[in-house]
Amino acid sequence: MSGHRVHILAEEDDDPMLSAVNLVDVFLVLVVALLTAVALQQQSQADETVIRRAGEPDMEIVVRKNGHEIKYRGNGGSSEGQGVKAGVAYKLKDGSVIYVPEEGAPDAP
């Protein structure tokens, strides 16, 4: 036998920084996948109201709530009802809306 020994557990001439870089790459892929999953989940659960063809006789209101979609369509005319005035709504400069009920107005059902 010659004097050359084979070490089974001998380290190769790898740069230790390469394995750290590979780990960082793996974690970056995992983070991007998790962020994408969270964004898709929040988007599917978001409540949303869309008004199509606003002001037109065939106006349509689409409400998405908890993953379900409800469509309301106009009939081409103005709506009529047998209700009574219940109060006044005011829009403030900051964009918030307040409702002031009128005295003697009936309570909401």
Side-chain angles (χ1 to χ4, degrees):
M1 243 205 292
S2 69
H4 182 67
R5 292 185 172 180
V6 177
H7 295 285
I8 296 175
L9 299 176
E11 293 185 26
E12 296 178 13
D13 292 336
D14 287 337
D15 185 10
M17 286 303 293
L18 288 178
S19 60
V21 169
N22 287 337
L23 283 176
V24 169
D25 289 342
V26 169
F27 284 121
L28 282 175
V29 170
L30 287 174
V31 166
V32 168
L34 289 174
L35 287 175
T36 303
V38 167
L40 289 175
Q41 182 182 16
Q42 287 179 349
Q43 184 179 15
S44 67
Q45 292 179 352
D47 294 344
E48 182 178 31
T49 303
V50 177
I51 300 174
R52 296 182 182 149
R53 297 180 298 280
E56 301 293 322
D58 60 343
M59 181 173 82
E60 180 180 50
I61 299 173
V62 180
V63 178
R64 291 186 187 104
K65 213 174 211 184
N66 298 329
H68 300 296
E69 187 173 278
I70 302 169
K71 293 183 180 183
Y72 301 98
R73 292 194 175 120
N75 58 8
S78 62
S79 60
E80 297 178 5
Q82 298 174 345
V84 295
K85 186 176 179 180
V88 181
Y90 295 96
K91 185 172 185 178
L92 303 177
K93 288 182 181 180
D94 65 355
S96 61
V97 177
I98 59 169
Y99 166 73
V100 180
E102 289 186 349
E103 291 196 27
D107 292 333

